[in-house]
Amino acid sequence: MPTLKLSQIGELTLLEQIRKKFEKYPPDILVGIGDDAALIKHTNENLLVTTDMMVEGVHFNMDFMTPFQLGFKLVSVNVSDIYAMGGKPKFLLLNIAMRRNMDKKTIDSFFDGVQEAMKLYSLFLIGGDLSASHKDMILSATLIGYAKKYLRRSGAKVGDRIYVTGNLGDSACGLELLKKIKSPVLLDRTKRRAKSKELRAESKDTLLYALRSKLPAKGLKWNDIEPLLRRHIMPEARDPGRFISSATSMIDISDGLLIDLFRLCDESKVGARIYVENIPLSSQFKKVASGLGIFPVKLALSGGEDYEMLFTAPSSKRLNAIYIGDITESERVIVYPSGRKRAFSAEGYQHFSIHR
Amino acid sequence: MPTLKLSQIGELTLLEQIRKKFEKYPPDILVGIGDDAALIKHTNENLLVTTDMMVEGVHFNMDFMTPFQLGFKLVSVNVSDIYAMGGKPKFLLLNIAMRRNMDKKTIDSFFDGVQEAMKLYSLFLIGGDLSASHKDMILSATLIGYAKKYLRRSGAKVGDRIYVTGNLGDSACGLELLKKIKSPVLLDRTKRRAKSKELRAESKDTLLYALRSKLPAKGLKWNDIEPLLRRHIMPEARDPGRFISSATSMIDISDGLLIDLFRLCDESKVGARIYVENIPLSSQFKKVASGLGIFPVKLALSGGEDYEMLFTAPSSKRLNAIYIGDITESERVIVYPSGRKRAFSAEGYQHFSIHR
């Protein structure tokens, strides 16, 4: 059977299919997909809104990701922003521009990935827009959520401790692996779902074959590289729920620890001291980074796309999160185990910088 | 002075400038630009959300529009969607992807246009995202508003009259003019503002010179073409406020009268009869269309981008809007003055259609 192209389906038919797939709404959605705007019933909670755009070849590369993974990641990235304000995400709107000869199968897989993430975070798709692009795929998501207590970037106080919710650098290391593998890698769709052995076996074989011929390192195992690839390809946003009542400020790490900490410091008008030996690195990351000839701390400090939460809380609180530094009056430094200090600036991923 | 490029400014600096320009918020914005998400204080009204994406070369052409006009239009198009639900727009979020060598002047003009439209509709910019694109500029806007009574596409009843709020075809005719002029046309920024005679004179001369060499028609005047160009380049959304209490259904005409009426009929599960002689055509449109060799009714029925409201109301109501047809049980026809009927289908602009 020949592959069905988008140009043969038409925008209206595709919209109708998407509508059927996602049109199961809670009572507070008075109007969902299919009208000029979506209508949300008023509540007594404050409303959070975030929006984000991803351009093919700039923010993602279809040579490295399946459409399913892309759909999943687009949602996760926006959920992470709502979580970073202390909120609960709920309603999603998607704008998608695609080339006319896009496969129907690719589109369906993309929306399957969106749906998988929507289930994980209990979201509802309530609107958006489909259109044509010349060549690159362009995605834009808007996510609406609710907040009781909310956390700004601007609340950090001198003397507060700085925490993160998980390991840093895994995602950036996953990207380095993908650059060597140069093809999408199939992962189990969710870790929670019953393992599909066939899928796992297939991706594992393909992958290790590719790696054997490309990596200088020996002895890398699927169990070492899978979590790193997953953190980059299908990141799950961290719900900081249990820390919200104690935290004084919060931001999610999307552009890299240092640049996002710098932003938090700017907004809070404070400094920060980060202890390099406290930066949490996974054993897999350390092992694979060594195989790739990468210095792990550098990647963990500025790699980006960690989607862990970075937050501050008074030092009097005892929190079950990873303590990586302290808020200072103005000095912004990284402290090495030797005691050597290095000032940091807004390093990390700046889209318009001429230096990368 | 050499022209400053985006790559020399950097994303953070540009964000800071945008933030300063727009950071004047009403008390219901608890967090605006500059955090992970915007935070809107709860109210007792229901919330409307719409989002839209515009891709250079697909939805707009920088050979035909100034950056100021583009910014203005992006906002108007989204306001039109909120109006079409019977709502009041209030909060704007913008995602923008631009090539790295974009002029600072172009960016500033774009945001001036956004700001001009924001003033017109009393909006506040509360969030968004800036990033790089390969070549084409990509814009995505999300607009949030409030509604007391709201109007769906699905409320039309058999026997209702069909109305529009203004002339059709002007915008499509403006586009035809631009395709011949092949350059952006300067218009007074607003009709309400004191007229800048220099600007007007400059654009008029340039334009008439260009037209003289390209149009077969003689005797076209600036006063004829200006409203047509304006309706395409800097459309103002129509607030249907005074019709909301009477209307049973509403949609804004973005893709063309017939395709948008078809959508309204589909959602309402009814038919429609449109009387061609009732279609409102401006005198300028009729004059210029004749000069361009265009059949006005065809363009008015399917040209698109009119951004007039199309709505239905019981025939017992006497409304000061333009009555163009009646809602029927199932037949969907255009009736010509001769009495000849023609069935219509979902004609108009379908982005993925292979036929255009």
Side-chain angles (χ1 to χ4, degrees):
Chain A
M1 208 181 83
T3 317
L4 201 60
K5 302 287 182 187
L6 190 50
S7 51
Q8 296 160 292
I9 313 163
E11 185 189 359
L12 291 184
T13 316
L14 183 60
L15 267 175
E16 205 46 49
Q17 290 175 5
I18 292 168
R19 189 170 165 177
K20 282 208 184 101
K21 185 179 178 114
F22 291 102
E23 201 173 35
K24 285 158 205 127
Y25 295 126
D28 51 347
I29 286 300
L30 303 175
V31 181
I33 300 175
D35 216 307
D36 293 293
L39 189 70
I40 304 170
K41 202 166 182 310
H42 73 91
T43 71
N44 288 325
E45 287 189 70
N46 297 325
L47 212 81
L48 285 163
V49 193
T50 186
T51 186
D52 197 43
M53 190 184 266
M54 287 168 67
V55 180
E56 188 175 350
V58 178
H59 303 92
F60 64 93
N61 190 329
M62 294 302 280
D63 297 338
F64 294 175
M65 288 176 92
T66 67
F68 180 92
Q69 293 162 353
L70 179 64
F72 186 94
K73 186 169 180 174
L74 174 65
V75 176
S76 277
V77 165
N78 282 280
V79 167
S80 186
D81 279 326
I82 296 288
Y83 280 164
M85 299 291 293
K88 290 283 170 209
K90 189 150 183 194
F91 303 118
L92 181 66
L93 296 97
L94 282 184
N95 290 323
I96 303 163
M98 293 176 281
R99 52 189 169 277
R100 281 160 218 268
N101 66 349
M102 177 83 87
D103 290 353
K104 178 67 165 63
K105 213 180 125 193
T106 302
I107 301 166
D108 287 344
S109 301
F110 171 79
F111 279 104
D112 285 345
V114 167
Q115 194 176 36
E116 186 70 40
M118 283 173 55
K119 276 185 215 157
L120 175 64
Y121 304 113
S122 306
L123 307 180
F124 301 94
L125 186 71
I126 61 169
D129 186 33
L130 284 176
S131 67
S133 74
H134 287 299
K135 181 173 160 283
D136 296 324
M137 187 167 176
I138 304 144
L139 308 168
S140 166
T142 297
L143 190 61
I144 296 177
Y146 294 108
K148 280 176 187 150
K149 182 188 171 183
Y150 58 94
L151 290 167
R152 302 205 52 167
R153 297 177 179 177
S154 56
K157 299 275 174 294
V158 177
D160 279 357
R161 289 183 161 204
I162 303 171
Y163 295 93
V164 291
T165 50
N167 293 323
L168 303 181
D170 282 5
S171 169
C173 187
L175 178 59
E176 294 304 318
L177 278 169
L178 283 168
K179 284 180 187 168
K180 294 194 183 291
I181 298 166
K182 293 197 176 80
S183 77
V185 177
L186 294 177
L187 300 175
D188 278 350
R189 291 192 160 196
T190 72
K191 281 181 287 187
R192 285 164 304 287
R193 193 182 280 184
K195 287 176 191 170
S196 110
K197 279 183 187 165
E198 296 74 17
L199 181 65
R200 190 142 193 169
E202 185 203 334
S203 62
K204 184 176 163 182
D205 285 354
T206 315
L207 201 67
L208 290 181
Y209 176 80
L211 277 175
R212 260 198 297 279
S213 62
K214 284 165 190 161
L215 291 188
K218 288 185 178 57
L220 285 187
K221 297 200 180 96
W222 174 246
N223 289 342
D224 292 330
I225 62 175
E226 198 270 357
L228 307 177
L229 293 169
R230 180 178 294 278
R231 196 68 201 147
H232 185 76
I233 296 173
M234 286 181 65
E236 290 185 14
R238 301 292 184 215
D239 186 348
R242 64 203 161 121
F243 305 121
I244 294 172
S245 62
S246 309
T248 51
S249 71
M250 190 175 282
I251 188 172
D252 72 320
I253 305 177
S254 54
D255 291 341
L257 174 66
L258 292 187
I259 191 171
D260 288 317
L261 178 59
F262 200 88
R263 284 171 179 153
L264 187 144
C265 287
D266 272 357
E267 294 295 325
S268 296
K269 299 184 174 62
V270 294
R273 191 184 300 121
I274 295 295
Y275 310 110
V276 166
E277 64 198 296
N278 288 17
I279 300 291
L281 308 176
S282 71
S283 58
Q284 294 93 339
F285 172 41
K286 284 189 275 191
K287 195 167 165 186
V288 173
S290 137
L292 294 174
I294 291 169
F295 182 49
V297 165
K298 189 167 186 290
L299 216 54
L301 289 174
S302 60
E305 298 212 67
D306 296 296
Y307 298 113
E308 298 292 343
M309 295 297 148
L310 171 67
F311 66 97
T312 57
S315 59
S316 56
K317 307 261 180 185
R318 281 293 161 260
L319 299 179
N320 190 17
I322 303 147
Y323 162 56
I324 60 162
D326 296 300
I327 292 294
T328 63
E329 284 208 16
S330 62
E331 121 186 300
R332 297 182 187 182
V333 292
I334 312 160
V335 186
Y336 288 86
S338 65
R340 187 169 66 90
K341 285 181 182 181
R342 217 179 106 194
F344 67 89
S345 59
E347 279 180 58
Y349 195 65
Q350 277 208 44
H351 282 293
F352 297 118
S353 162
I354 38 172
H355 299 299
R356 52 175 291 165
Chain B
M1 208 181 82
T3 317
L4 201 58
K5 302 285 182 188
L6 189 50
S7 51
Q8 296 160 291
I9 313 163
E11 186 189 2
L12 291 185
T13 315
L14 182 60
L15 267 174
E16 205 45 50
Q17 290 176 5
I18 293 169
R19 188 171 167 178
K20 282 207 182 103
K21 184 179 180 113
F22 291 100
E23 203 172 36
K24 286 160 202 126
Y25 295 126
D28 51 347
I29 285 300
L30 303 175
V31 180
I33 299 175
D35 216 306
D36 293 293
L39 190 69
I40 305 170
K41 201 167 183 311
H42 74 90
T43 72
N44 288 324
E45 286 189 69
N46 298 322
L47 211 82
L48 285 164
V49 193
T50 187
T51 185
D52 197 43
M53 189 184 267
M54 287 168 68
V55 180
E56 188 175 351
V58 178
H59 303 92
F60 64 93
N61 189 330
M62 295 302 281
D63 297 338
F64 294 175
M65 289 176 93
T66 67
F68 180 91
Q69 293 163 351
L70 179 63
F72 186 94
K73 186 169 179 174
L74 175 66
V75 176
S76 277
V77 166
N78 281 281
V79 167
S80 186
D81 279 326
I82 296 288
Y83 280 165
M85 299 290 294
K88 289 283 171 209
K90 189 151 183 194
F91 303 117
L92 181 66
L93 296 97
L94 283 183
N95 289 323
I96 303 162
M98 293 176 281
R99 53 189 169 275
R100 282 160 217 268
N101 67 348
M102 178 82 90
D103 290 351
K104 178 68 165 63
K105 212 181 129 195
T106 302
I107 301 167
D108 288 345
S109 300
F110 171 80
F111 278 104
D112 285 346
V114 166
Q115 194 175 36
E116 186 69 42
M118 283 173 55
K119 276 185 215 157
L120 175 63
Y121 305 112
S122 304
L123 307 181
F124 301 94
L125 186 71
I126 61 169
D129 186 33
L130 285 176
S131 67
S133 74
H134 287 299
K135 181 173 160 282
D136 297 323
M137 188 167 178
I138 304 145
L139 308 168
S140 164
T142 297
L143 190 60
I144 295 176
Y146 294 108
K148 281 176 187 149
K149 183 191 170 182
Y150 58 96
L151 289 167
R152 302 203 55 166
R153 297 178 178 177
S154 57
K157 300 274 174 293
V158 177
D160 280 358
R161 289 184 160 202
I162 303 171
Y163 295 94
V164 292
T165 50
N167 293 323
L168 303 182
D170 282 6
S171 170
C173 186
L175 178 60
E176 293 303 318
L177 279 168
L178 283 168
K179 284 180 187 168
K180 295 194 181 291
I181 298 166
K182 291 196 177 82
S183 77
V185 178
L186 293 177
L187 301 174
D188 278 352
R189 293 193 158 197
T190 73
K191 282 180 291 190
R192 285 164 304 285
R193 194 181 278 181
K195 288 175 192 172
S196 108
K197 281 184 187 165
E198 297 73 19
L199 180 64
R200 191 144 196 166
E202 185 203 333
S203 60
K204 184 176 163 180
D205 286 354
T206 315
L207 201 64
L208 290 181
Y209 176 78
L211 277 174
R212 260 197 299 277
S213 61
K214 284 165 191 162
L215 292 189
K218 286 185 177 59
L220 286 186
K221 295 198 181 97
W222 174 245
N223 288 342
D224 292 330
I225 62 175
E226 198 268 357
L228 307 178
L229 293 169
R230 179 179 294 279
R231 195 68 200 148
H232 185 77
I233 295 173
M234 286 182 65
E236 290 186 14
R238 300 292 185 217
D239 186 349
R242 65 204 161 119
F243 305 121
I244 294 173
S245 63
S246 309
T248 52
S249 72
M250 191 175 281
I251 188 171
D252 72 321
I253 305 178
S254 55
D255 291 341
L257 174 66
L258 292 188
I259 191 169
D260 288 318
L261 177 59
F262 200 87
R263 285 171 179 154
L264 187 142
C265 286
D266 272 357
E267 294 294 324
S268 296
K269 299 181 176 59
V270 294
R273 189 186 301 120
I274 295 294
Y275 310 111
V276 166
E277 63 198 298
N278 288 17
I279 300 291
L281 308 175
S282 72
S283 58
Q284 295 93 340
F285 172 41
K286 284 188 275 189
K287 195 168 166 187
V288 173
S290 136
L292 294 174
I294 291 170
F295 181 49
V297 167
K298 189 167 186 290
L299 215 55
L301 290 174
S302 60
E305 298 211 68
D306 296 297
Y307 298 113
E308 297 292 344
M309 294 297 148
L310 170 67
F311 66 97
T312 58
S315 58
S316 58
K317 308 259 178 185
R318 283 292 160 262
L319 299 180
N320 190 18
I322 303 148
Y323 163 55
I324 60 162
D326 296 301
I327 293 294
T328 62
E329 283 210 14
S330 61
E331 119 185 304
R332 297 183 185 181
V333 293
I334 312 160
V335 185
Y336 288 87
S338 64
R340 187 168 67 90
K341 286 182 180 179
R342 217 179 105 193
F344 68 89
S345 60
E347 280 180 58
Y349 195 66
Q350 276 208 44
H351 281 296
F352 297 118
S353 164
I354 39 173
H355 300 298
R356 50 174 294 162

